[in-house]
Amino acid sequence: MTAISTARILVSNDDGIHAPGIEILERIARQFTDDVWVVAPEEEQSGAGHSLTLSRVLRIRKLEDKRWAVAGTPTDCVAMALNKIMGDEKPTLILSGINRGGNLAEDVTYSGTVSVAMEGTLAGIPSIALSQCIRPDQRTKWETAEQYAPKVIKSLIEMGWPQDVLMNVNFPAFEPDEIQGVRVTEQGARQIMGNHIEERTDPRGFKYYWFGLGREVGQPGHETDLKSVREKWISVTPLHLNMTHDETRRSMAEAITQTF
């Protein structure tokens, strides 16, 4: 693996073009290069996952030089940036975020932030998703991500990683001076069936619902993303786009062969 170039950086997110996290990430990107492009959703797209808009038109809006808003999903933003907005000179690195709220465990399957990095990786561009964890009834510790993200990004790009892997970085919901360091972690797990669905009633008497996260499932002996941020460590999780489970594939191949 070789070091990754930061000559041209694309910044995107799922919180929207005006989110505070993307402003921070743009400032961080400019520590590595002057050639920074921002292409992000016109409005918040949290939970959009890796969805691509196919059934309606897409509109884009130029806000200023190298800064565009897309009336679509995070995946749409990357596709538009690579195939339309940025022309023939593709980015050498894609940074996604900084998301308000962690993208841990199964969050990665729902997250538009992570999906930006997925789409970039599919296009052969090294990509990093960054998220700032939050805690209820507390302000977002943006200063933690802003202080440590440059160091984490620098370390990652100097090491490099395989082409079909993306990096998922989560900063704990603690003050900068409380952070213990960085851990390379596994993707954790929550008890999805334990999701809390809160029922409320609006002023007109109609019911509506809020989804809550499921309970964390302990994995003894594992350094998971969930465990690390809880213990005040920055979590770096390499995610692989090839979702084939090789052990199951091998055992099933042997078993199914015997039935024919």
Side-chain angles (χ1 to χ4, degrees), residues 101-116:
N103 279 303
L104 307 157
E106 75 285 343
D107 295 345
V108 302
T109 66
Y110 303 110
S111 167
T113 303
V114 174
S115 293
V116 165

PDB file of all heavy atoms in Angstrom, residues 101-116:
ATOM      1  N   GLY A 101     -23.494  13.136  14.846  1.00  0.00           N
ATOM      2  CA  GLY A 101     -23.957  11.844  15.339  1.00  0.00           C
ATOM      3  C   GLY A 101     -23.064  10.741  14.806  1.00  0.00           C
ATOM      4  O   GLY A 101     -22.584  10.801  13.662  1.00  0.00           O
ATOM      5  N   GLY A 102     -22.828   9.731  15.622  1.00  0.00           N
ATOM      6  CA  GLY A 102     -21.945   8.642  15.225  1.00  0.00           C
ATOM      7  C   GLY A 102     -22.534   7.785  14.124  1.00  0.00           C
ATOM      8  O   GLY A 102     -23.749   7.713  13.943  1.00  0.00           O
ATOM      9  N   ASN A 103     -21.653   7.157  13.375  1.00  0.00           N
ATOM     10  CA  ASN A 103     -22.048   6.130  12.413  1.00  0.00           C
ATOM     11  C   ASN A 103     -21.315   4.858  12.792  1.00  0.00           C
ATOM     12  O   ASN A 103     -20.209   4.589  12.311  1.00  0.00           O
ATOM     13  CB  ASN A 103     -21.731   6.581  10.987  1.00  0.00           C
ATOM     14  CG  ASN A 103     -22.796   7.507  10.441  1.00  0.00           C
ATOM     15  OD1 ASN A 103     -23.975   7.163  10.389  1.00  0.00           O
ATOM     16  ND2 ASN A 103     -22.397   8.712  10.058  1.00  0.00           N
ATOM     17  N   LEU A 104     -21.944   4.113  13.683  1.00  0.00           N
ATOM     18  CA  LEU A 104     -21.344   2.957  14.329  1.00  0.00           C
ATOM     19  C   LEU A 104     -22.200   1.721  14.073  1.00  0.00           C
ATOM     20  O   LEU A 104     -23.399   1.822  13.801  1.00  0.00           O
ATOM     21  CB  LEU A 104     -21.249   3.189  15.838  1.00  0.00           C
ATOM     22  CG  LEU A 104     -20.555   4.476  16.284  1.00  0.00           C
ATOM     23  CD1 LEU A 104     -20.998   4.872  17.691  1.00  0.00           C
ATOM     24  CD2 LEU A 104     -19.039   4.296  16.235  1.00  0.00           C
ATOM     25  N   ALA A 105     -21.561   0.546  14.191  1.00  0.00           N
ATOM     26  CA  ALA A 105     -22.297  -0.715  14.088  1.00  0.00           C
ATOM     27  C   ALA A 105     -23.144  -0.741  12.812  1.00  0.00           C
ATOM     28  O   ALA A 105     -22.673  -0.414  11.736  1.00  0.00           O
ATOM     29  CB  ALA A 105     -23.141  -0.919  15.348  1.00  0.00           C
ATOM     30  N   GLU A 106     -24.437  -1.104  12.934  1.00  0.00           N
ATOM     31  CA  GLU A 106     -25.290  -1.210  11.745  1.00  0.00           C
ATOM     32  C   GLU A 106     -25.640   0.138  11.142  1.00  0.00           C
ATOM     33  O   GLU A 106     -26.222   0.203  10.048  1.00  0.00           O
ATOM     34  CB  GLU A 106     -26.583  -1.986  12.073  1.00  0.00           C
ATOM     35  CG  GLU A 106     -27.624  -1.238  12.864  1.00  0.00           C
ATOM     36  CD  GLU A 106     -27.265  -1.087  14.334  1.00  0.00           C
ATOM     37  OE1 GLU A 106     -26.375  -1.819  14.820  1.00  0.00           O
ATOM     38  OE2 GLU A 106     -27.891  -0.244  14.993  1.00  0.00           O
ATOM     39  N   ASP A 107     -25.281   1.234  11.822  1.00  0.00           N
ATOM     40  CA  ASP A 107     -25.498   2.559  11.238  1.00  0.00           C
ATOM     41  C   ASP A 107     -24.908   2.654   9.835  1.00  0.00           C
ATOM     42  O   ASP A 107     -25.425   3.381   8.989  1.00  0.00           O
ATOM     43  CB  ASP A 107     -24.831   3.654  12.088  1.00  0.00           C
ATOM     44  CG  ASP A 107     -25.436   3.795  13.472  1.00  0.00           C
ATOM     45  OD1 ASP A 107     -26.535   3.262  13.697  1.00  0.00           O
ATOM     46  OD2 ASP A 107     -24.792   4.433  14.318  1.00  0.00           O
ATOM     47  N   VAL A 108     -23.815   1.929   9.596  1.00  0.00           N
ATOM     48  CA  VAL A 108     -23.130   2.070   8.311  1.00  0.00           C
ATOM     49  C   VAL A 108     -24.012   1.633   7.147  1.00  0.00           C
ATOM     50  O   VAL A 108     -23.791   2.057   6.006  1.00  0.00           O
ATOM     51  CB  VAL A 108     -21.789   1.304   8.288  1.00  0.00           C
ATOM     52  CG1 VAL A 108     -20.882   1.801   9.408  1.00  0.00           C
ATOM     53  CG2 VAL A 108     -21.988  -0.196   8.376  1.00  0.00           C
ATOM     54  N   THR A 109     -25.014   0.798   7.406  1.00  0.00           N
ATOM     55  CA  THR A 109     -25.896   0.353   6.326  1.00  0.00           C
ATOM     56  C   THR A 109     -26.979   1.385   6.017  1.00  0.00           C
ATOM     57  O   THR A 109     -27.579   1.350   4.942  1.00  0.00           O
ATOM     58  CB  THR A 109     -26.573  -0.985   6.670  1.00  0.00           C
ATOM     59  OG1 THR A 109     -27.471  -0.812   7.779  1.00  0.00           O
ATOM     60  CG2 THR A 109     -25.536  -2.036   7.033  1.00  0.00           C
ATOM     61  N   TYR A 110     -27.259   2.285   6.952  1.00  0.00           N
ATOM     62  CA  TYR A 110     -28.263   3.326   6.754  1.00  0.00           C
ATOM     63  C   TYR A 110     -27.642   4.677   6.410  1.00  0.00           C
ATOM     64  O   TYR A 110     -28.302   5.555   5.847  1.00  0.00           O
ATOM     65  CB  TYR A 110     -29.089   3.526   8.038  1.00  0.00           C
ATOM     66  CG  TYR A 110     -29.780   2.306   8.556  1.00  0.00           C
ATOM     67  CD1 TYR A 110     -29.362   1.690   9.737  1.00  0.00           C
ATOM     68  CD2 TYR A 110     -30.870   1.750   7.890  1.00  0.00           C
ATOM     69  CE1 TYR A 110     -30.005   0.568  10.237  1.00  0.00           C
ATOM     70  CE2 TYR A 110     -31.514   0.628   8.379  1.00  0.00           C
ATOM     71  CZ  TYR A 110     -31.081   0.036   9.554  1.00  0.00           C
ATOM     72  OH  TYR A 110     -31.718  -1.074  10.044  1.00  0.00           O
ATOM     73  N   SER A 111     -26.405   4.864   6.760  1.00  0.00           N
ATOM     74  CA  SER A 111     -25.776   6.180   6.764  1.00  0.00           C
ATOM     75  C   SER A 111     -25.497   6.734   5.374  1.00  0.00           C
ATOM     76  O   SER A 111     -24.794   6.109   4.559  1.00  0.00           O
ATOM     77  CB  SER A 111     -24.461   6.111   7.551  1.00  0.00           C
ATOM     78  OG  SER A 111     -23.689   7.269   7.335  1.00  0.00           O
ATOM     79  N   GLY A 112     -25.974   7.948   5.115  1.00  0.00           N
ATOM     80  CA  GLY A 112     -25.586   8.651   3.906  1.00  0.00           C
ATOM     81  C   GLY A 112     -24.139   9.087   3.953  1.00  0.00           C
ATOM     82  O   GLY A 112     -23.459   9.168   2.920  1.00  0.00           O
ATOM     83  N   THR A 113     -23.642   9.381   5.154  1.00  0.00           N
ATOM     84  CA  THR A 113     -22.238   9.775   5.321  1.00  0.00           C
ATOM     85  C   THR A 113     -21.315   8.656   4.857  1.00  0.00           C
ATOM     86  O   THR A 113     -20.377   8.880   4.081  1.00  0.00           O
ATOM     87  CB  THR A 113     -21.948  10.101   6.797  1.00  0.00           C
ATOM     88  OG1 THR A 113     -22.835  11.118   7.238  1.00  0.00           O
ATOM     89  CG2 THR A 113     -20.508  10.565   6.988  1.00  0.00           C
ATOM     90  N   VAL A 114     -21.561   7.453   5.333  1.00  0.00           N
ATOM     91  CA  VAL A 114     -20.750   6.307   4.932  1.00  0.00           C
ATOM     92  C   VAL A 114     -20.966   5.991   3.453  1.00  0.00           C
ATOM     93  O   VAL A 114     -20.026   5.600   2.748  1.00  0.00           O
ATOM     94  CB  VAL A 114     -21.066   5.084   5.814  1.00  0.00           C
ATOM     95  CG1 VAL A 114     -20.331   3.847   5.318  1.00  0.00           C
ATOM     96  CG2 VAL A 114     -20.688   5.366   7.275  1.00  0.00           C
ATOM     97  N   SER A 115     -22.174   6.208   2.961  1.00  0.00           N
ATOM     98  CA  SER A 115     -22.464   5.910   1.561  1.00  0.00           C
ATOM     99  C   SER A 115     -21.713   6.810   0.595  1.00  0.00           C
ATOM    100  O   SER A 115     -21.396   6.405  -0.522  1.00  0.00           O
ATOM    101  CB  SER A 115     -23.973   6.007   1.303  1.00  0.00           C
ATOM    102  OG  SER A 115     -24.656   4.984   2.005  1.00  0.00           O
ATOM    103  N   VAL A 116     -21.432   8.051   1.008  1.00  0.00           N
ATOM    104  CA  VAL A 116     -20.562   8.911   0.198  1.00  0.00           C
ATOM    105  C   VAL A 116     -19.218   8.215  -0.005  1.00  0.00           C
ATOM    106  O   VAL A 116     -18.686   8.148  -1.131  1.00  0.00           O
ATOM    107  CB  VAL A 116     -20.352  10.282   0.874  1.00  0.00           C
ATOM    108  CG1 VAL A 116     -19.183  11.029   0.232  1.00  0.00           C
ATOM    109  CG2 VAL A 116     -21.612  11.123   0.786  1.00  0.00           C
TER     110      VAL A 116
END
